[in-house]
Amino acid sequence: MRILVIGSGGREHALAWAIAKSPRCEKLFVMPGNGGTETFAENVPVDITDHAAVIGFAKAEAIDFVVIGPDAPAVAGLGDDVRAGGLLCFGPSKAAAQLEGSKAFTKALCDEAKVPTAAYARFDNEIEALAYVHDQGAPIVIKADGLAAGKGVTVAMTMEEAADAVRDCFSGAFGESGSTVVIEEFLEGEEASIFALCDGTSVVMLPSAQDHKRVWDGDRGPNTGGMGAYSPAPVMTPDMTARVEQEIILPSIRRMAERGTPFTGVLFAGVMVTADGPKLIEYNVRFGDPECQVLMLRLKSDVLDLLEATARGTLKDVKPEFSDEVSLTVVLAAKGYPVKPETGSEIKGVDGLDGARLRVFHAGTIRRDGRLIANGGRVLNVTVLGATVAEARDRAYDAIDRIDWPEGFCRRDIGWRAVARELKPA
Ligand code: AMP
Ligand code: GLY
């Protein structure tokens, strides 16, 4: 098969790496790709927001299968356009991508499908939103409605923070994304990332993961796209996983089909495990980044079989196999991330670190004159397998300490919850 992966992050490097291992992969392109993907696939410098150009390239190169990695092209309807062009595509329709593109859409679906989630209200003006915050009290959660690169959410522990967040949304801090605001009940518990391949009707649950969204050690500082992750998430016991499938994923998928907008692709549920059971925090319509990196390192089956069955609607009999080992990834980011990352610095010591149980997946990197250059906020994902989370963590930080990049930083405590559990079993 000739395959085109859309995207340029760590998630797409990991997907492309897994695809390239498939005996059925004849030729692999990544559009636009990064400094990691270019070492084993062909990077294509086409603007992925130009759907006609993407399809034109795919036709000219006789692509058999297009795999959409990120949320933005899915929400923009690239999947529909690629399929309308007669090509096989992994990724949701624009209508189904509203599960990520609009928090208000997902809340309405949860009501219809009786999916447990935080109580909420939706506002399109500041005065009513502030009055509601005043009534409800803190802690409370304020969300800009649309895509805001993970930055449109404020978990406000005080009334002042809550009121500031409401004002920020309506004053245009998140552009159009903030013109509708969803205000939610604060959910207390432990969070996990749940992934389910869906072909419209059938669902295949993948292993769970947990990420670290805050930028600093100890889960402090602003939210980011994710500073590290590990899989499995210990909080997701087999019983809890079955509950998430039965109470959250399946009713949502059924309701999407009934609405005439079946969901295909990978559904990523951010779930809070509360004292009352699992509750949906949000849906995404793509793999998590960096969660995808740990899943791909654990995956033993041919990823192409999974992605293709999802796209063709033949998931019913698919049973992917994953390593029993733990996988953990640590993100190296450019200083200043997530606010204003400094790009352009050289990174040394990365090539040659990869081994059987260690992969450095690239995100914001480019290669220039044989040098590896930081070109984004999140830059590298050092991803390892280990018998325990503690062992995986130690191996990841050993590798990181061999990377020479003074302009970068990482959290030093990835996996802390799971390591604490290993030291003191419940
Ligand atoms: P979201 O973009 O909706 O995933 O929100 C980003 C992060 O904010 C989540 O991963 C949670 O850690 C936190 N969060 C979102 N909604 C809630 C909620 N209702 N209660 C507590 N924490 C939340
Ligand atoms: N790591 C969380 C996300 O991809 O949204």
Side-chain angles (χ1 to χ4, degrees), residues 337-350:
Y337 176 75
V339 180
K340 195 167 182 289
E342 295 160 33
T343 58
S345 53
E346 182 173 3
I347 309 162
K348 293 184 190 150
V350 172

mmCIF file with all atom_site columns, all heavy atoms in Angstrom, residues 337-350:
data_model
loop_
_atom_site.group_PDB
_atom_site.id
_atom_site.type_symbol
_atom_site.label_atom_id
_atom_site.label_alt_id
_atom_site.label_comp_id
_atom_site.label_asym_id
_atom_site.label_entity_id
_atom_site.label_seq_id
_atom_site.pdbx_PDB_ins_code
_atom_site.Cartn_x
_atom_site.Cartn_y
_atom_site.Cartn_z
_atom_site.occupancy
_atom_site.B_iso_or_equiv
_atom_site.pdbx_formal_charge
_atom_site.auth_seq_id
_atom_site.auth_comp_id
_atom_site.auth_asym_id
_atom_site.auth_atom_id
_atom_site.pdbx_PDB_model_num
ATOM 1   N N   . TYR A 1 337 ? 7.632  27.313 26.196 1.00 0.00 ? 337 TYR A N   1
ATOM 2   C CA  . TYR A 1 337 ? 6.388  26.595 25.950 1.00 0.00 ? 337 TYR A CA  1
ATOM 3   C C   . TYR A 1 337 ? 5.601  26.513 27.250 1.00 0.00 ? 337 TYR A C   1
ATOM 4   O O   . TYR A 1 337 ? 6.211  26.317 28.299 1.00 0.00 ? 337 TYR A O   1
ATOM 5   C CB  . TYR A 1 337 ? 6.705  25.174 25.429 1.00 0.00 ? 337 TYR A CB  1
ATOM 6   C CG  . TYR A 1 337 ? 5.485  24.298 25.221 1.00 0.00 ? 337 TYR A CG  1
ATOM 7   C CD1 . TYR A 1 337 ? 4.664  24.508 24.125 1.00 0.00 ? 337 TYR A CD1 1
ATOM 8   C CD2 . TYR A 1 337 ? 5.151  23.300 26.144 1.00 0.00 ? 337 TYR A CD2 1
ATOM 9   C CE1 . TYR A 1 337 ? 3.533  23.718 23.937 1.00 0.00 ? 337 TYR A CE1 1
ATOM 10  C CE2 . TYR A 1 337 ? 4.027  22.514 25.959 1.00 0.00 ? 337 TYR A CE2 1
ATOM 11  C CZ  . TYR A 1 337 ? 3.224  22.723 24.859 1.00 0.00 ? 337 TYR A CZ  1
ATOM 12  O OH  . TYR A 1 337 ? 2.105  21.957 24.674 1.00 0.00 ? 337 TYR A OH  1
ATOM 13  N N   . PRO A 1 338 ? 4.279  26.642 27.294 1.00 0.00 ? 338 PRO A N   1
ATOM 14  C CA  . PRO A 1 338 ? 3.374  26.753 26.162 1.00 0.00 ? 338 PRO A CA  1
ATOM 15  C C   . PRO A 1 338 ? 3.083  28.194 25.739 1.00 0.00 ? 338 PRO A C   1
ATOM 16  O O   . PRO A 1 338 ? 2.292  28.404 24.824 1.00 0.00 ? 338 PRO A O   1
ATOM 17  C CB  . PRO A 1 338 ? 2.088  26.112 26.710 1.00 0.00 ? 338 PRO A CB  1
ATOM 18  C CG  . PRO A 1 338 ? 2.092  26.469 28.160 1.00 0.00 ? 338 PRO A CG  1
ATOM 19  C CD  . PRO A 1 338 ? 3.542  26.493 28.570 1.00 0.00 ? 338 PRO A CD  1
ATOM 20  N N   . VAL A 1 339 ? 3.688  29.176 26.405 1.00 0.00 ? 339 VAL A N   1
ATOM 21  C CA  . VAL A 1 339 ? 3.303  30.563 26.118 1.00 0.00 ? 339 VAL A CA  1
ATOM 22  C C   . VAL A 1 339 ? 3.992  31.054 24.845 1.00 0.00 ? 339 VAL A C   1
ATOM 23  O O   . VAL A 1 339 ? 3.338  31.444 23.883 1.00 0.00 ? 339 VAL A O   1
ATOM 24  C CB  . VAL A 1 339 ? 3.627  31.470 27.332 1.00 0.00 ? 339 VAL A CB  1
ATOM 25  C CG1 . VAL A 1 339 ? 3.235  32.911 27.034 1.00 0.00 ? 339 VAL A CG1 1
ATOM 26  C CG2 . VAL A 1 339 ? 2.905  30.953 28.579 1.00 0.00 ? 339 VAL A CG2 1
ATOM 27  N N   . LYS A 1 340 ? 5.343  31.028 24.859 1.00 0.00 ? 340 LYS A N   1
ATOM 28  C CA  . LYS A 1 340 ? 6.072  31.551 23.713 1.00 0.00 ? 340 LYS A CA  1
ATOM 29  C C   . LYS A 1 340 ? 7.371  30.764 23.561 1.00 0.00 ? 340 LYS A C   1
ATOM 30  O O   . LYS A 1 340 ? 8.420  31.201 24.017 1.00 0.00 ? 340 LYS A O   1
ATOM 31  C CB  . LYS A 1 340 ? 6.365  33.050 23.947 1.00 0.00 ? 340 LYS A CB  1
ATOM 32  C CG  . LYS A 1 340 ? 6.805  33.809 22.713 1.00 0.00 ? 340 LYS A CG  1
ATOM 33  C CD  . LYS A 1 340 ? 6.757  35.314 22.967 1.00 0.00 ? 340 LYS A CD  1
ATOM 34  C CE  . LYS A 1 340 ? 7.159  36.092 21.726 1.00 0.00 ? 340 LYS A CE  1
ATOM 35  N NZ  . LYS A 1 340 ? 8.612  35.965 21.427 1.00 0.00 ? 340 LYS A NZ  1
ATOM 36  N N   . PRO A 1 341 ? 7.296  29.598 22.940 1.00 0.00 ? 341 PRO A N   1
ATOM 37  C CA  . PRO A 1 341 ? 8.506  28.777 22.828 1.00 0.00 ? 341 PRO A CA  1
ATOM 38  C C   . PRO A 1 341 ? 9.551  29.451 21.935 1.00 0.00 ? 341 PRO A C   1
ATOM 39  O O   . PRO A 1 341 ? 9.219  30.055 20.927 1.00 0.00 ? 341 PRO A O   1
ATOM 40  C CB  . PRO A 1 341 ? 7.998  27.483 22.185 1.00 0.00 ? 341 PRO A CB  1
ATOM 41  C CG  . PRO A 1 341 ? 6.675  27.809 21.581 1.00 0.00 ? 341 PRO A CG  1
ATOM 42  C CD  . PRO A 1 341 ? 6.109  28.964 22.340 1.00 0.00 ? 341 PRO A CD  1
ATOM 43  N N   . GLU A 1 342 ? 10.820 29.300 22.384 1.00 0.00 ? 342 GLU A N   1
ATOM 44  C CA  . GLU A 1 342 ? 11.908 29.836 21.564 1.00 0.00 ? 342 GLU A CA  1
ATOM 45  C C   . GLU A 1 342 ? 12.345 28.762 20.588 1.00 0.00 ? 342 GLU A C   1
ATOM 46  O O   . GLU A 1 342 ? 12.764 27.680 21.008 1.00 0.00 ? 342 GLU A O   1
ATOM 47  C CB  . GLU A 1 342 ? 13.115 30.186 22.442 1.00 0.00 ? 342 GLU A CB  1
ATOM 48  C CG  . GLU A 1 342 ? 12.859 31.295 23.425 1.00 0.00 ? 342 GLU A CG  1
ATOM 49  C CD  . GLU A 1 342 ? 13.875 31.276 24.559 1.00 0.00 ? 342 GLU A CD  1
ATOM 50  O OE1 . GLU A 1 342 ? 15.050 30.889 24.315 1.00 0.00 ? 342 GLU A OE1 1
ATOM 51  O OE2 . GLU A 1 342 ? 13.478 31.638 25.678 1.00 0.00 ? 342 GLU A OE2 1
ATOM 52  N N   . THR A 1 343 ? 12.271 29.055 19.302 1.00 0.00 ? 343 THR A N   1
ATOM 53  C CA  . THR A 1 343 ? 12.646 28.055 18.306 1.00 0.00 ? 343 THR A CA  1
ATOM 54  C C   . THR A 1 343 ? 13.996 28.425 17.692 1.00 0.00 ? 343 THR A C   1
ATOM 55  O O   . THR A 1 343 ? 14.531 29.495 17.944 1.00 0.00 ? 343 THR A O   1
ATOM 56  C CB  . THR A 1 343 ? 11.575 27.957 17.199 1.00 0.00 ? 343 THR A CB  1
ATOM 57  O OG1 . THR A 1 343 ? 11.432 29.250 16.613 1.00 0.00 ? 343 THR A OG1 1
ATOM 58  C CG2 . THR A 1 343 ? 10.244 27.519 17.765 1.00 0.00 ? 343 THR A CG2 1
ATOM 59  N N   . GLY A 1 344 ? 14.531 27.499 16.907 1.00 0.00 ? 344 GLY A N   1
ATOM 60  C CA  . GLY A 1 344 ? 15.745 27.805 16.150 1.00 0.00 ? 344 GLY A CA  1
ATOM 61  C C   . GLY A 1 344 ? 17.035 27.266 16.758 1.00 0.00 ? 344 GLY A C   1
ATOM 62  O O   . GLY A 1 344 ? 18.089 27.344 16.128 1.00 0.00 ? 344 GLY A O   1
ATOM 63  N N   . SER A 1 345 ? 16.972 26.686 17.955 1.00 0.00 ? 345 SER A N   1
ATOM 64  C CA  . SER A 1 345 ? 18.213 26.191 18.571 1.00 0.00 ? 345 SER A CA  1
ATOM 65  C C   . SER A 1 345 ? 18.554 24.793 18.060 1.00 0.00 ? 345 SER A C   1
ATOM 66  O O   . SER A 1 345 ? 17.685 24.048 17.608 1.00 0.00 ? 345 SER A O   1
ATOM 67  C CB  . SER A 1 345 ? 18.071 26.178 20.097 1.00 0.00 ? 345 SER A CB  1
ATOM 68  O OG  . SER A 1 345 ? 16.912 25.465 20.465 1.00 0.00 ? 345 SER A OG  1
ATOM 69  N N   . GLU A 1 346 ? 19.832 24.442 18.166 1.00 0.00 ? 346 GLU A N   1
ATOM 70  C CA  . GLU A 1 346 ? 20.272 23.123 17.688 1.00 0.00 ? 346 GLU A CA  1
ATOM 71  C C   . GLU A 1 346 ? 20.188 22.084 18.805 1.00 0.00 ? 346 GLU A C   1
ATOM 72  O O   . GLU A 1 346 ? 20.491 22.378 19.963 1.00 0.00 ? 346 GLU A O   1
ATOM 73  C CB  . GLU A 1 346 ? 21.723 23.206 17.178 1.00 0.00 ? 346 GLU A CB  1
ATOM 74  C CG  . GLU A 1 346 ? 22.173 21.853 16.627 1.00 0.00 ? 346 GLU A CG  1
ATOM 75  C CD  . GLU A 1 346 ? 23.537 21.872 15.952 1.00 0.00 ? 346 GLU A CD  1
ATOM 76  O OE1 . GLU A 1 346 ? 24.200 22.930 15.942 1.00 0.00 ? 346 GLU A OE1 1
ATOM 77  O OE2 . GLU A 1 346 ? 23.933 20.801 15.439 1.00 0.00 ? 346 GLU A OE2 1
ATOM 78  N N   . ILE A 1 347 ? 19.783 20.877 18.419 1.00 0.00 ? 347 ILE A N   1
ATOM 79  C CA  . ILE A 1 347 ? 19.674 19.770 19.372 1.00 0.00 ? 347 ILE A CA  1
ATOM 80  C C   . ILE A 1 347 ? 20.695 18.718 18.963 1.00 0.00 ? 347 ILE A C   1
ATOM 81  O O   . ILE A 1 347 ? 20.692 18.267 17.817 1.00 0.00 ? 347 ILE A O   1
ATOM 82  C CB  . ILE A 1 347 ? 18.266 19.140 19.318 1.00 0.00 ? 347 ILE A CB  1
ATOM 83  C CG1 . ILE A 1 347 ? 17.188 20.219 19.438 1.00 0.00 ? 347 ILE A CG1 1
ATOM 84  C CG2 . ILE A 1 347 ? 18.106 18.084 20.395 1.00 0.00 ? 347 ILE A CG2 1
ATOM 85  C CD1 . ILE A 1 347 ? 15.833 19.760 18.963 1.00 0.00 ? 347 ILE A CD1 1
ATOM 86  N N   . LYS A 1 348 ? 21.541 18.319 19.904 1.00 0.00 ? 348 LYS A N   1
ATOM 87  C CA  . LYS A 1 348 ? 22.555 17.300 19.585 1.00 0.00 ? 348 LYS A CA  1
ATOM 88  C C   . LYS A 1 348 ? 22.329 16.040 20.412 1.00 0.00 ? 348 LYS A C   1
ATOM 89  O O   . LYS A 1 348 ? 21.766 16.115 21.507 1.00 0.00 ? 348 LYS A O   1
ATOM 90  C CB  . LYS A 1 348 ? 23.948 17.848 19.873 1.00 0.00 ? 348 LYS A CB  1
ATOM 91  C CG  . LYS A 1 348 ? 24.353 18.986 18.956 1.00 0.00 ? 348 LYS A CG  1
ATOM 92  C CD  . LYS A 1 348 ? 25.798 19.383 19.255 1.00 0.00 ? 348 LYS A CD  1
ATOM 93  C CE  . LYS A 1 348 ? 26.167 20.675 18.545 1.00 0.00 ? 348 LYS A CE  1
ATOM 94  N NZ  . LYS A 1 348 ? 27.161 21.426 19.302 1.00 0.00 ? 348 LYS A NZ  1
ATOM 95  N N   . GLY A 1 349 ? 22.826 14.933 19.903 1.00 0.00 ? 349 GLY A N   1
ATOM 96  C CA  . GLY A 1 349 ? 22.819 13.699 20.686 1.00 0.00 ? 349 GLY A CA  1
ATOM 97  C C   . GLY A 1 349 ? 21.545 12.877 20.566 1.00 0.00 ? 349 GLY A C   1
ATOM 98  O O   . GLY A 1 349 ? 21.343 11.945 21.347 1.00 0.00 ? 349 GLY A O   1
ATOM 99  N N   . VAL A 1 350 ? 20.672 13.220 19.617 1.00 0.00 ? 350 VAL A N   1
ATOM 100 C CA  . VAL A 1 350 ? 19.413 12.473 19.490 1.00 0.00 ? 350 VAL A CA  1
ATOM 101 C C   . VAL A 1 350 ? 19.588 11.249 18.598 1.00 0.00 ? 350 VAL A C   1
ATOM 102 O O   . VAL A 1 350 ? 19.172 10.140 18.946 1.00 0.00 ? 350 VAL A O   1
ATOM 103 C CB  . VAL A 1 350 ? 18.301 13.381 18.918 1.00 0.00 ? 350 VAL A CB  1
ATOM 104 C CG1 . VAL A 1 350 ? 17.054 12.564 18.614 1.00 0.00 ? 350 VAL A CG1 1
ATOM 105 C CG2 . VAL A 1 350 ? 17.984 14.498 19.900 1.00 0.00 ? 350 VAL A CG2 1
#
